[in-house]
Amino acid sequence: MEKTTQPEAVSSVMKVFSILQALGEQKDIGVSELSQRLMMSKATTYRFLQTMKMLGYVSQEEEADKYGLTLKLFELGAKSLEYVDLIALADKEMRYISEQTNEALHLGALDEDAIIYIHKIDSGYNLSMQSRIGRRNPLYSTAIGKVLLAERDVEFVERTLADVTFVKHTEKTLQNTAQLLTELELVRQQHYAEDNEEQEPGLRCIAAPIYDRFGQVIAGLSISFPTIRFDQERLSYYVELLQTAGHNISRQLGYDVKNQ
């Protein structure tokens, strides 16, 4: 008979969540009481608590052996709910734009030093941008990436891209942060961004920002075209579609762009 053993990593995760649950049930609790309640050694309990304290999830009363939860878990939960709301709200707007254009729509958010696609609606054409939810792309060569950075200060942009290598995906790809900062100024003024074959040859994208209730750009909404189907004379129409959608989503998230 094969002996089943629980991997140490899984055991550790279960202990962490047991501690979090216990701290959630009682505001302040000492190491001894907590270790007895969870049937863990005092040394193990203390070690986990100190690690969780270092990460900001647990607080300790000064000069006391009492621990409690911080608001960091609440902040994480709130972020998760915000993205759930964002995707649901964006889907309606994206479907409307899809009906008007039949082109691919993407919703992207900032993920450390890149963008990540969190929702999409495929084009109705055979020739279209190939993508998947969860895919990451560079900030510097995508329209969504540019709107995510445009309203950030220079220090944030430089810090975010400090370890990023500007890969020359095409002949039109920006080569460095200085070039990007110049373009971000334009994006900030016109409230939309373009990727003119900077990420993929033969592909153009336009994106507009979406704001959270605090007026921070939380995501970008884009439409993508093969260059052979892109009509420059309709650029203002595409921009208006995206900006209207961005305004509608932002307003429902608690921020009225037009009143700012």
Side-chain angles (χ1 to χ4, degrees):
M1 182 177 178
E2 184 179 348
K3 183 179 179 181
T4 59
T5 59
Q6 187 180 57
E8 181 61 29
V10 174
S11 175
S12 296
V13 170
M14 292 184 69
K15 288 175 182 175
V16 167
F17 280 97
S18 295
I19 292 172
L20 290 174
Q21 185 171 347
L23 292 175
E25 294 170 354
Q26 184 172 334
K27 184 176 180 182
D28 296 304
I29 187 170
V31 176
S32 298
E33 183 181 351
L34 185 59
S35 63
Q36 290 173 8
R37 180 183 298 187
L38 301 177
M39 293 185 288
M40 288 193 292
S41 73
K42 187 174 178 179
T44 298
T45 305
Y46 178 79
R47 187 173 70 251
F48 277 106
L49 284 169
Q50 290 301 308
T51 301
M52 294 157 73
K53 176 184 172 183
M54 179 184 68
L55 294 173
Y57 291 95
V58 169
S59 62
Q60 181 181 5
E61 291 184 12
E62 291 185 11
E63 300 180 358
D65 184 30
K66 296 287 186 180
Y67 294 83
L69 292 178
T70 68
L71 291 177
K72 191 165 184 179
L73 283 172
F74 173 79
E75 292 170 0
L76 285 176
K79 267 186 185 176
S80 176
L81 288 173
E82 190 167 56
Y83 277 115
V84 170
D85 290 343
L86 171 62
I87 292 171
L89 294 171
D91 182 73
K92 178 181 178 181
E93 300 292 335
M94 291 168 71
R95 290 190 183 282
Y96 174 76
I97 298 176
S98 176
E99 290 170 1
Q100 304 307 307
T101 66
N102 208 29
E103 299 291 354
L105 281 297
H106 290 85
L107 182 68
L110 184 66
D111 183 30
E112 297 181 345
D113 60 2
I115 70 164
I116 185 169
Y117 296 120
I118 57 178
H119 190 48
K120 72 167 187 168
I121 293 180
D122 290 326
S123 168
Y125 297 106
N126 290 329
L127 179 61
S128 63
M129 176 181 176
Q130 300 301 309
S131 65
R132 59 178 173 78
I133 295 173
R135 178 182 175 183
R136 299 172 84 249
N137 262 336
L139 289 162
Y140 59 85
S141 58
T142 56
I144 288 179
K146 293 172 187 176
V147 297
L148 290 172
L149 291 178
E151 296 189 28
R152 301 280 192 162
D153 58 40
V154 172
E155 291 75 16
F156 178 89
V157 176
E158 291 178 339
R159 185 170 63 251
T160 300
L161 299 176
D163 297 323
V164 172
T165 300
F166 279 62
V167 178
K168 196 170 180 60
H169 302 288
T170 76
E171 289 301 313
K172 297 183 178 181
T173 306
L174 299 179
Q175 298 178 39
N176 51 54
T177 303
Q179 288 185 350
L180 178 61
L181 286 169
T182 299
E183 184 158 341
L184 292 181
E185 179 60 34
L186 176 62
V187 174
R188 186 159 48 249
Q189 293 173 8
Q190 62 190 17
H191 303 294
Y192 74 90
E194 293 186 77
D195 156 16
N196 185 9
E197 297 187 84
E198 297 164 51
Q199 178 63 22
E200 294 182 31
L203 182 69
R204 290 195 64 169
C205 297
I206 309 165
I210 296 170
Y211 299 84
D212 66 12
R213 61 186 181 277
F214 302 112
Q216 299 293 320
V217 177
I218 190 177
L221 178 61
S222 75
I223 182 169
S224 304
F225 311 79
T227 52
I228 60 172
R229 278 204 308 270
F230 181 78
D231 184 352
Q232 184 66 34
E233 294 183 356
R234 301 195 75 196
L235 174 62
S236 59
Y237 170 67
Y238 300 137
V239 170
E240 183 180 2
L241 283 174
L242 290 168
Q243 289 181 336
T244 299
H247 292 168
N248 291 341
I249 299 165
S250 300
R251 187 173 62 252
Q252 292 178 83
L253 289 173
Y255 185 77
D256 193 338
V257 179
K258 293 182 179 180
N259 289 337
Q260 301 306 314

